[in-house]
Amino acid sequence: MIEQLSHQIARGQVRAAEAFVDAATREAATGSGNRLRSKNPEEELAAHLGVSKAEIRRRLSVAEGLRDRLDEYGESLGAKLPLVADVFMNGNMSLLAASTMVREISKAETIASATEGVDADATREGMEAALVGANRTGGCPLVSTVAKNWLNRLNTNNVTATDELKRQFQGLHLLGRKYGLNHGEFYFDDEQWAVIAAGSTFEANPRVKTTASTDASTSDANEVEAAGSCLDANGDVHEVPVVLKDSRTRAQKLADGLVRSVRAGLESKKLPVNGGLRPQVMVAIDLETLQGRVAADEKYLSHSAQLGPVDPSMIRKIACDAQILPVVLNGEGRVLDVGEPQRLFTQEQRKILYARDLGCTAPGCTVPADGCEAHHVKEWSQGGPTTIDNGALVCHYHHQLVHETDWRINISSGVPYWVPPKAVDPNQIPLRNHYFRHGLTP
C-alpha cells in the first residue's frame, strides 16, 4: 500500500516537473512571466524544491518518454513507450524503474539505428516489453540486468559511430569516488583513442624495461645484469632492493603515461588561456603543511581549485616538478606567497640533467631520460634551490616513492646516490644506478 502510494507521488512529481518546465519555456519564448534566477528551468525547479538537478532531469526524462506525441497534422500518436506509460501512470512502477527504462531503451534504439540490418522500432518495442516484464517479476534490479543484456547483444562490429550515437555515448563520464579513487568511464572515437593510446603507452611500453628481463634472446646479458644491480660509492655491486623495483600493473602504467602526456601539454604554453592564465593546477596550502611540520592528527589546509581538499603530500610532490601554482597561506588564511616559475628547472637545466643522468637515477631502473621528471633533492618546499647540484632525474614511479618513503637522494661528485632507510639497510649504504653506464668504467 505504501509502495503504491509512493509510485503515485512519483507520477505527480513527473507531471509537475513537466508542467513547470513547459510553462517556463513558453514564457521565455514570449518574454512574459518572471525572469528565472537560474540558468534554465531545470535548475530553477531543483533550487525551489531543494532536490538535485539529477533528480529533476530524471523526472523530465520520464515525462519525455511517456508524453503523448503528435503528428504533423496534430493527431495523437500516443506515447513513445506505451507499455511503460501505462504501468507507470497506473501507479505500478517506481520513478527509478521508469527512468532506467527510458534511458536504456533510448540507448538501444540509438545503437540499433546505427547498425546495419537492425530494425530500431522492433528493438524498442521488444526491449520495452522485456523490461516491463522484468519490473513485474523482480523490480528495478532485474530491469537493470535485463537492460544491460539487451545492450550487450546490440554491441556488434556492425555498429557505426553516427552523430546521434556519439551524442548519446561519447565522452568522459565521471562517476564519483570509488575505493578512494576517482572513478569514471570513457567512450572515444578511433581518432581520439589513437591520441590517447599514443599518450599513455610510453609507461607500459615493453621496450622500456623497469625490471630485469631473463630472456637472453631479447635482452643483452650486460643490460640484464646492470638492470638488476647497482653500485655503491666504492664501485662494489649490490642487488637492487626489492622496494625500488617497479611493481605497478599495466593499467597503472597506462594511467601514469596519460597523466604525464597531459602534464606535458599543460606545460607547453600552447594551450588556450583562461582568464589571462594558461592552464595550470592551482592549490592553496598553509606554510606548516607545505613544509611537513604538521602532526598526523592535526588539521591542515590543503585545497585544489580543480579537486577540492587534497592530501598535502601530493602537493609537496607535484610542487617539485609539475606546473602548479602554489598559494602559501598563514594560519589565518592570508596569502604569504604565490609560487614563481623559477622553482621549476629550466629547459637548459633539464638538458644538463639529461646528459648527466641519462635516465632515472633510482638503482636498477631502466626508464630513459625522456620518461623522467626533474626532482629537487632537497625539496623546494624546504628551501631547496633549483640548481643542477640539487636536481636528479626520476621516473614517475620512483618520484612518488622518494616523496612517500624515507629513501633519500644525495649528490656526490655530480652523481646521485640513493640512501636507503634503516629498515631496508641498517648501514644505509648509498647506491647508484649504473644501468645507463654499464659499459663505462665506474
Side-chain angles (χ1 to χ4, degrees):
M1 182 69 181
I2 295 178
E3 191 70 17
Q4 217 169 19
L5 179 61
S6 70
H7 293 170
Q8 292 172 357
I9 293 174
R11 180 182 61 189
Q13 290 173 330
V14 167
R15 286 305 187 205
E18 179 184 29
F20 178 87
V21 172
D22 285 348
T25 302
R26 285 195 302 270
E27 290 175 356
T30 60
S32 61
N34 296 324
R35 184 176 180 181
L36 296 177
R37 291 188 295 271
S38 302
K39 290 188 295 185
N40 53 55
E42 291 85 351
E43 288 190 11
E44 182 82 7
L45 183 57
H48 180 72
L49 297 178
V51 299
S52 68
K53 289 181 287 186
E55 173 62 22
I56 297 300
R57 287 194 294 268
R58 182 180 297 113
R59 297 176 188 180
L60 292 174
S61 70
V62 172
E64 180 64 27
L66 306 187
R67 77 162 68 214
D68 190 18
R69 298 172 298 161
L70 302 177
D71 63 15
E72 57 184 321
Y73 303 107
E75 298 293 328
S76 173
L77 295 174
K80 187 174 185 179
L81 302 176
L83 299 181
V84 177
D86 181 61
V87 177
F88 180 76
M89 297 309 293
N90 286 325
N92 295 317
M93 182 184 295
S94 69
L95 176 61
L96 180 59
S99 63
T100 299
M101 291 184 192
V102 171
R103 182 183 65 248
E104 301 304 305
I105 292 173
S106 176
K107 290 180 182 178
E109 189 175 13
T110 300
I111 298 172
S113 298
T115 307
E116 185 178 354
V118 176
D119 188 326
D121 290 336
T123 298
R124 181 186 68 248
E125 294 168 3
M127 186 173 179
E128 181 186 16
L131 294 186
V132 170
N135 180 70
R136 188 184 309 113
T137 304
C140 196
L142 186 58
V143 168
S144 298
T145 300
V146 173
K148 185 179 295 185
N149 291 338
W150 270 79
L151 293 179
N152 287 338
R153 288 201 298 270
L154 289 169
N155 181 27
T156 68
N157 292 330
N158 296 327
V159 179
T160 301
T162 62
D163 289 342
E164 177 58 25
L165 186 141
K166 288 182 179 180
R167 191 192 67 79
Q168 179 83 264
F169 293 98
Q170 189 178 36
L172 285 169
H173 304 276
L174 306 180
L175 304 178
R177 300 276 292 180
K178 189 174 183 179
Y179 312 132
L181 300 170
N182 294 290
H183 173 59
E185 63 180 9
F186 61 83
Y187 292 92
F188 295 139
D189 62 27
D190 291 340
E191 180 182 355
Q192 291 172 322
W193 178 243
V195 174
I196 293 295
S200 62
T201 51
F202 172 87
E203 291 278 349
N205 189 336
R207 289 176 293 178
V208 180
K209 301 178 290 297
T210 52
T211 56
S213 169
T214 56
D215 187 351
S217 65
T218 60
S219 180
D220 179 80
N222 291 331
E223 285 192 8
V224 172
E225 182 181 357
S229 63
C230 52
L231 303 178
D232 61 21
N234 297 320
D236 295 331
V237 178
H238 296 257
E239 185 177 351
V240 174
V242 174
V243 70
L244 288 182
K245 294 181 179 180
D246 191 345
S247 60
R248 292 175 299 169
T249 65
R250 175 175 172 79
Q252 287 177 300
K253 291 177 180 179
L254 288 172
D256 286 341
L258 180 58
V259 170
R260 184 177 69 86
S261 296
V262 172
R263 182 179 293 136
L266 290 173
E267 295 174 359
S268 68
K269 301 183 181 180
K270 294 181 179 180
L271 296 182
V273 298
N274 181 15
L277 295 173
R278 58 194 178 85
Q280 57 192 325
V281 179
M282 182 176 291
V283 296
I285 184 168
D286 63 276
L287 184 60
E288 288 193 346
T289 305
L290 180 64
Q291 295 178 343
R293 293 188 284 115
V294 176
D297 57 347
E298 289 187 31
K299 293 183 179 179
Y300 57 78
L301 170 61
S302 181
H303 186 90
S304 163
Q306 284 79 10
L307 299 177
V310 293
D311 191 321
S313 63
M314 184 196 81
I315 294 180
R316 286 195 290 270
K317 173 184 172 293
I318 61 178
C320 186
D321 189 48
Q323 186 58 45
I324 67 164
L325 181 64
V327 181
V328 183
L329 311 174
N330 65 10
E332 299 175 349
R334 295 184 179 180
V335 175
L336 295 178
D337 180 50
V338 177
E340 297 295 335
Q342 61 261 28
R343 67 181 178 77
L344 299 177
F345 289 91
T346 66
Q347 186 174 5
E348 289 70 24
Q349 287 175 316
R350 291 172 185 268
K351 289 178 181 178
I352 296 173
L353 290 175
Y354 282 19
R356 186 194 72 186
D357 298 339
L358 300 180
C360 179
T361 57
C365 187
T366 62
V367 176
D370 55 0
C372 292
E373 303 161 1
H375 167 69
H376 288 77
V377 172
K378 181 180 179 182
E379 290 188 23
W380 171 81
S381 59
Q382 299 286 347
T386 305
T387 62
I388 299 301
D389 291 336
N390 192 48
L393 293 186
V394 286
C395 67
H396 177 82
Y397 175 79
H398 288 110
H399 200 180
Q400 192 166 359
L401 183 142
V402 78
H403 276 278
E404 295 180 353
T405 68
D406 292 330
W407 279 84
R408 302 191 327 271
I409 301 177
N410 289 339
I411 306 293
S412 177
S413 301
V415 177
Y417 285 88
W418 285 57
V419 181
K422 287 187 177 181
V424 176
D425 178 11
N427 297 319
Q428 294 189 290
I429 298 175
L431 304 172
R432 74 179 182 89
N433 191 2
H434 72 130
Y435 173 79
F436 299 102
R437 301 184 183 275
H438 65 270
L440 304 177
T441 302

